[in-house]
């Protein structure tokens, strides 16, 4: 089915359950955790099928956390996201399918570097716009858009983080889907893969409601980043070997 076996689809749903649960708790994570795992299962699961799943998840999270939303802060990140969408669309049009793995690997490793780099930018208009552009660019190509925007919210409280990042990710996801559709990376196969994997999002979201105050996100962070680094390196090597 869609070039995947039943076992691969089961593994893909498990990977999405883990990522959706993590994002439901921490405000981001479905890309950082699920995308590298999905790449290792099969590259056809990225980026559009996961972006579609992430869009569904952000809608659910925004409904859950709507009371903490501060839209004034989000609008600058959304403006930057529009720029990121244009740049990502140009990149996807210019690169070949073989070159996609190379770019994927570079951006995944860049996301890991941002996450462990110790940067603590202030939450202001300029930084929000830059983070919004970087997140949308990375999220469109790799489905991993969390690290840049997470940097500027790392010192904020949980409900605000989950609400504001969900609002940004919702708009950014639509930007990403627009760029993917126009560049030929979103079609019938990708919609079919989304239909086969969206139960993972629903299950992960429901689990996160029970674990939101119990999951030790900081304790899991090294494991998550380690998985991302392995997948990013694998993609980079495959991309270099195909040149």
């Amino acid at each position: 089915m869609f070039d995947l076996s039943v076992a691969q689809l089961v593994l893909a749903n498990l990977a999405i359950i883990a990522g959706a649960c993590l994002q439901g708790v921490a405000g981001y994570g479905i890309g950082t955790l699920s995308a590298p795992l999905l790449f290792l299962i099969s590259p056809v699961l990225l980026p559009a099928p996961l972006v579609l799943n992430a869009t569904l998840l952000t809608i659910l999270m925004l409904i859950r956390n709507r009371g903490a939303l501060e839209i004034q802060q989000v609008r600058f990140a959304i403006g930057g996201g529009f720029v990121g969408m244009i740049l990502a669309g140009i990149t996807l049009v210019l690169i070949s399918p073989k070159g996609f793995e190379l770019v994927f690997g570079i951006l995944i490793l860049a996301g890991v570097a941002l996450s462990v780099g110790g940067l603590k930018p202030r939450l202001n208009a300029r930084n929000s716009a830059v983070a919004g552009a970087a997140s949308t660019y990375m999220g469109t190509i790799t489905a991993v858009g969390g690290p840049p925007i997470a940097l500027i919210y790392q010192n904020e409280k949980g409900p605000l983080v989950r609400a504001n990042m969900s609002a940004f990710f919702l708009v950014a996801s639509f930007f990403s889907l627009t760029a993917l559709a126009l560049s030929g990376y979103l079609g019938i196969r990708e919609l079919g893969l989304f239909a086969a994997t969206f139960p993972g999002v629903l299950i992960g979201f429901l689990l996160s409601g029970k674990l939101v105050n119990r999951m030790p996100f900081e304790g899991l962070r090294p494991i998550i980043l380690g998985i991302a680094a392995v997948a990013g390196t694998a993609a980079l090597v495959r991309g270099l070997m195909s040149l």
Side-chain angles (χ1 to χ4, degrees):
M1 180 181 182
F2 306 111
D3 302 323
L4 297 180
S5 67
V6 173
Q8 285 176 306
L9 287 175
V10 171
L11 289 173
N13 273 278
L14 291 174
I16 291 173
I17 288 172
C21 185
L22 178 64
Q23 182 152 325
V25 171
Y28 78 104
I30 190 170
T32 307
L33 178 57
S34 298
L37 292 173
L38 292 175
F39 177 82
L40 295 175
I41 295 167
S42 175
V44 302
L45 291 161
L46 296 164
L50 183 54
V51 174
L52 287 165
N53 276 304
T55 304
L56 174 59
L57 177 60
T58 53
I59 292 171
L60 295 172
M61 286 189 60
L62 192 55
I63 293 172
R64 176 194 281 173
N65 298 288
R66 61 189 180 278
L69 179 64
E70 293 185 12
I71 196 65
Q72 293 297 318
Q73 291 184 358
V74 182
R75 71 184 193 276
F76 297 108
I78 290 173
F82 182 78
V83 176
M85 172 191 70
I86 295 172
L87 294 175
I90 293 171
T91 302
L92 289 170
V93 169
L94 293 178
I95 62 175
S96 66
K98 292 182 179 179
F100 175 81
E101 290 190 350
L102 183 61
V103 174
F104 179 92
I106 291 171
L107 291 179
I108 289 288
L109 293 176
V112 172
L114 285 174
S115 296
V116 301
L119 297 175
K120 294 185 177 180
R122 294 179 58 190
L123 179 57
N124 56 35
R126 182 193 63 188
N127 290 340
S128 292
V130 172
S135 284
T136 305
Y137 181 81
M138 292 177 62
T140 301
I141 296 173
T142 67
V144 184
I149 199 71
L151 284 176
I152 63 171
Y153 279 99
Q154 61 187 301
N155 296 318
E156 304 301 319
K157 295 181 179 179
L160 173 66
V161 171
R162 289 188 288 270
N164 278 19
M165 289 181 66
S166 294
F168 166 74
F169 284 138
L170 180 59
V171 179
S173 292
F174 283 111
F175 285 162
S176 295
L177 291 172
T178 299
L180 289 168
L182 292 176
S183 57
Y185 281 79
L186 175 57
I188 298 299
R189 183 181 70 172
E190 287 73 24
L191 291 173
L193 289 169
F194 165 61
T197 54
F198 84 88
V201 162
L202 300 180
I203 296 170
F205 175 74
L206 293 174
L207 283 175
S208 72
K210 300 181 182 299
L211 298 174
V212 68
N213 295 316
R214 300 178 185 177
M215 183 181 286
F217 176 67
E218 285 304 315
L220 294 173
R221 191 165 173 265
I223 299 173
I224 295 165
L225 294 177
I227 293 170
V230 169
T233 302
L236 189 61
V237 170
R238 286 174 56 167
L240 289 172
M241 290 178 64
S242 66
L243 292 179

